[in-house]
Amino acid sequence: MRNGILTVFGGLVLSALLSFGAAAQQAEIEATITGQFDAFRADDFAGALEFATPQLQRFFQTPENFRQMVTSGYPMVQNPAEVRFLERRGEGRDIFQVVQITDAAGFTHLLAYLMQQTDEGWRIGAVQILDAPGMNV
């Protein structure tokens, strides 16, 4: 009986640790994306680019190149009125975080952020605009 209780207790502790790890990971991912939004709001594209993976930083080369891509392809992220973190998919070093953004004009957009674990922490590896049936995109 005692071994059974210890096994259940051990399982509960392991479950709690895994849950804590997932919550910490989620908090880090959300903080990275939120940090980039904050940089966009401040018109700080150099700062916003720091939240990208080293590969993306090399690809864009300059904050001005990054600014051009954001303003032409992802204007909804520059000054969102509301941001909601939805489901997260994947595990390990590559996680897709779905984010719902309401832009300044009141339109809703769904974006999938590819979050990648780097030596500096979680960084944004790519962003894809998702089709949102029933939403005014």
Side-chain angles (χ1 to χ4, degrees):
M1 170 110 172
R2 184 170 185 205
N3 284 343
I5 292 172
L6 289 176
T7 300
V8 169
F9 179 74
L12 290 173
V13 169
L14 180 59
S15 178
L17 288 174
L18 291 174
S19 178
F20 175 76
Q25 180 186 63
Q26 182 67 25
E28 290 175 30
I29 287 171
E30 289 182 15
T32 298
I33 296 169
T34 299
Q36 189 176 64
F37 287 144
D38 291 343
F40 286 143
R41 284 185 186 102
D43 200 35
D44 178 9
F45 281 83
L49 187 55
E50 290 296 316
F51 291 96
T53 60
Q55 296 84 355
L56 275 185
Q57 291 175 18
R58 284 190 296 275
F59 177 80
F60 286 109
Q61 297 180 356
T62 68
E64 188 53 41
N65 290 340
F66 186 57
R67 176 192 305 268
Q68 284 184 298
M69 182 278 302
V70 170
T71 57
S72 65
Y74 300 87
M76 74 287 288
V77 302
Q78 287 183 268
N79 193 21
E82 182 181 2
V83 175
R84 291 185 56 215
F85 292 92
L86 304 178
E87 71 265 15
R88 188 172 48 140
R89 300 179 204 141
E91 57 186 56
R93 298 180 66 83
D94 294 338
I95 303 285
F96 284 96
Q97 174 65 59
V98 178
V99 179
Q100 179 181 308
I101 296 173
T102 304
D103 66 21
F107 291 100
T108 303
H109 309 268
L110 285 181
L111 291 89
Y113 279 74
L114 171 60
M115 302 302 297
Q116 296 181 311
Q117 181 79 48
T118 70
D119 292 340
E120 294 81 34
W122 287 97
R123 295 292 182 256
I124 300 165
V127 179
Q128 179 183 4
I129 299 172
L130 303 174
D131 290 333
M135 296 186 131
N136 51 347
V137 181

